[in-house]
Amino acid sequence: MAQITLGTLIRKKLFAPLAHRLVLALETPILIEDLAGEPLIATDGAIEGVRYPVIVQGDTIGWVQGNEKAELLASLLAYHSEREVERKNLGSETLHKYKEITLLYDMADKIPACMERSEIIAILTEQIRQAIRFSGLSVILLDKESGKLEVAASLGNEYALGTVIEPVGIMASVWASGKGEIINDVHADQRFVQRPYRVSSLMCAPLKSKESTVGIIEISSAEPTVYAAEDLKLFSTLASQAAVQMENSVLYLELKNAFYTMVYTLAETIEKRDPYTGNHTKRVMEYSLAVGRTIGMSEDELIRLELAAVLHDIGKIGVRDSVLLKQGKLTDDEFHQIMQHPELGGQILSRIPQLQDIIPGVVQHHERFDGKGYPEGMAGEQINLAARIIAIADTFDAMTTDRPYRRGFSFEEAFEEVRRNSGTQFDPKIVDAFFETDVMEAFFRASANLKLRAAPR
Ligand SMILES: [Fe+2]
């Protein structure tokens, strides 16, 4: 079933007057009907001749009746309907991806905090220290991949971080039962296994969230101590809270990775359309990040720069293949269409609330330092910093890439060209930073991993 009706096409605001003028220009009686036989356009006078079907993707979506000119008109309508379906499909495919991205980011946003495991353990230790007396503390966590228990924190005892241990004695019982225990006189407990450090009393609890047990925590005292049931209750509650936070942080990282993967997939859809760009996005990203590090950008600024660099040409999704992939000289109109891509990119990203910060980097990447760029003709430091960096990275890569109709510049020639355009096309400060940057290292990094992929953060 074709995803368009002839009525939808004919009633389109831009197409309707054209269709009516076309029918009049044919100077012959014509009747255009939808699939059900409802007239859409009819000239005066008796309509005779053949009823030609308008066929789109193998389905008839309407009819044109008249002489041989009607057959021509039916083909033309079919052609336009096909284009309309293609345009719609491209739009809905892209929209679908935005929706997925927004959903992923929203979910990640709802998880309150993304803390490193070590931060969570540090907070837990401090909370316990404030409430309960102990001289030794160990946190053992389950490594999901290996299924083994590893030492994640160790205070006042001899466990080395990262040591894989097999739970024995009391720890093994707690791990197996999932219930916390107090042993006030360890030497009287048959399960106790001698330790290389002094221990008289201990408390051990599972790090248990609703879903699963992620590890065990144990505190011990070298001197005989009486731990009470309330101590165990508090200790177990704090341990459970930490376990939930640990699970959340894993989930958060997974979502964040999924988000990055989606963003990169979106960028790859552009690359796939133009096979000659061969990994352009990845190189622009690596060059931009390398320059960003040279000028001392913060981690947050680097993340935004990376996303802007990856998505800088996303607006090309709205430029037709016949223009985007044209190998010869572009007409003024075609050039005008290409020049729309930074703003189109901005419009696309404006639908993703979490990507608002990177829009200036995308929209302004074809602005020039001397104000002769597009779309706004902004100048100097008025232009977003990420956009000024991406401008150099993008141009440098375009110059050094072979195209079917011309050989790319050597790196030396391209460096010379960047230098020559300092202060006109490019920000001289960023040009200086570019020359201080190890561009070749960034190039090899981009080449080493040809597929764009999410960088876990
Ligand atoms: Fe561009």
Side-chain angles (χ1 to χ4, degrees), residues 287-329:
Y287 294 152
S288 300
L289 279 179
V291 173
R293 285 189 202 105
T294 302
I295 63 169
M297 276 184 154
S298 69
E299 191 57 28
D300 276 355
E301 286 170 323
L302 287 172
I303 290 174
R304 285 196 290 273
L305 176 63
E306 175 179 342
L307 288 171
V310 167
L311 294 170
H312 73 281
D313 270 347
I314 194 70
K316 284 188 177 168
I317 218 161
V319 179
R320 275 194 218 106
D321 276 356
S322 57
V323 178
L324 188 69
L325 308 180
K326 186 171 172 182
Q327 295 189 8
K329 204 173 171 328

Side-chain angles (χ1 to χ4, degrees), residues 15 21 93-94 142 147 250 295 302 304 313 358 370 372 442:
F15 192 73
R21 274 169 52 200
E93 194 184 306
T94 315
L142 178 69
V250 169
I295 63 169
L302 287 172
R304 285 196 290 273
D313 270 347
I358 72 158
D370 59 10
K372 294 181 183 163

Side-chain angles (χ1 to χ4, degrees), residues 239-341:
S240 292
Q241 256 180 20
V244 170
Q245 270 176 330
M246 278 178 204
E247 273 202 344
N248 279 351
S249 91
V250 169
L251 186 62
Y252 183 92
L253 282 177
E254 280 172 3
L255 280 169
K256 205 160 183 183
N257 278 344
F259 171 75
Y260 270 84
T261 307
M262 287 300 305
V263 167
Y264 281 71
T265 309
L266 200 57
E268 274 183 337
T269 57
I270 296 291
E271 290 226 321
K272 272 187 205 138
R273 286 177 69 198
D274 185 357
Y276 295 105
T277 52
N279 215 28
H280 168 72
T281 311
K282 183 86 201 263
R283 286 190 300 270
V284 172
M285 179 194 91
E286 292 290 1
Y287 294 152
S288 300
L289 279 179
V291 173
R293 285 189 202 105
T294 302
I295 63 169
M297 276 184 154
S298 69
E299 191 57 28
D300 276 355
E301 286 170 323
L302 287 172
I303 290 174
R304 285 196 290 273
L305 176 63
E306 175 179 342
L307 288 171
V310 167
L311 294 170
H312 73 281
D313 270 347
I314 194 70
K316 284 188 177 168
I317 218 161
V319 179
R320 275 194 218 106
D321 276 356
S322 57
V323 178
L324 188 69
L325 308 180
K326 186 171 172 182
Q327 295 189 8
K329 204 173 171 328
L330 294 173
T331 64
D332 284 352
D333 179 54
E334 287 165 342
F335 194 62
H336 179 74
Q337 285 182 47
I338 295 250
M339 280 170 70
Q340 306 290 313
H341 81 268

Side-chain angles (χ1 to χ4, degrees), residues 23-262:
V23 168
L24 288 177
L26 291 177
E27 294 179 328
T28 180
I30 293 276
L31 170 65
I32 303 178
E33 296 168 318
D34 70 10
L35 191 59
E38 283 296 316
L40 297 167
I41 298 178
T43 53
D44 296 335
I47 313 286
E48 285 170 354
V50 182
R51 208 166 168 237
Y52 297 98
V54 178
I55 300 170
V56 176
Q57 294 174 337
D59 295 319
T60 301
I61 62 163
W63 308 91
V64 182
Q65 191 176 353
N67 62 13
E68 69 282 1
K69 285 181 184 171
E71 187 179 12
L72 206 69
L73 185 58
S75 310
L76 192 72
L77 289 174
Y79 173 80
H80 274 284
S81 303
E82 291 260 11
R83 294 288 82 76
E84 193 58 27
V85 171
E86 273 173 20
R87 202 183 59 78
K88 262 191 176 165
N89 283 346
L90 186 62
S92 66
E93 194 184 306
T94 315
L95 191 67
H96 184 68
K97 285 210 173 80
Y98 304 147
K99 279 187 182 155
E100 262 181 81
I101 288 180
T102 313
L103 190 71
L104 281 171
Y105 218 100
D106 276 353
M107 281 166 74
D109 231 22
K110 284 190 183 106
I111 293 171
C114 171
M115 273 192 278
E116 295 278 331
R117 246 172 38 171
S118 57
E119 286 177 88
I120 299 169
I121 293 171
I123 292 170
L124 172 67
T125 307
E126 194 42 44
Q127 285 173 326
I128 296 170
R129 194 198 299 281
Q130 283 177 18
I132 306 167
R133 209 150 50 91
F134 65 89
S135 56
L137 175 144
S138 317
V139 176
I140 319 290
L141 291 179
L142 178 69
D143 182 77
K144 269 190 183 165
E145 274 176 31
S146 65
K148 293 190 170 140
L149 286 161
E150 281 178 16
V151 178
S154 172
L155 278 177
N157 54 43
E158 291 177 4
Y159 290 130
L161 289 188
T163 311
V164 174
I165 59 161
E166 204 49 59
V168 288
I170 297 161
M171 210 178 245
S173 311
V174 169
W175 180 245
S177 70
K179 287 199 179 85
E181 281 198 52
I182 299 170
I183 319 288
N184 280 326
D185 181 3
V186 294
H187 299 284
D189 193 307
Q190 287 180 345
R191 297 168 300 170
F192 180 66
V193 178
Q194 200 59 46
R195 317 259 172 115
Y197 50 92
R198 243 185 91 190
V199 49
S200 294
S201 312
L202 63 80
M203 216 168 13
C204 190
L207 286 160
K208 200 160 80 170
S209 71
K210 246 191 216 161
E211 303 296 321
S212 57
T213 304
V214 296
I216 315 172
I217 180 165
E218 182 194 272
I219 52 172
S220 60
S221 168
E223 303 306 324
T225 303
V226 177
Y227 288 123
E230 298 82 67
D231 293 331
L232 180 62
K233 204 173 164 195
L234 179 66
F235 183 59
S236 302
T237 308
L238 292 175
S240 292
Q241 256 180 20
V244 170
Q245 270 176 330
M246 278 178 204
E247 273 202 344
N248 279 351
S249 91
V250 169
L251 186 62
Y252 183 92
L253 282 177
E254 280 172 3
L255 280 169
K256 205 160 183 183
N257 278 344
F259 171 75
Y260 270 84
T261 307
M262 287 300 305

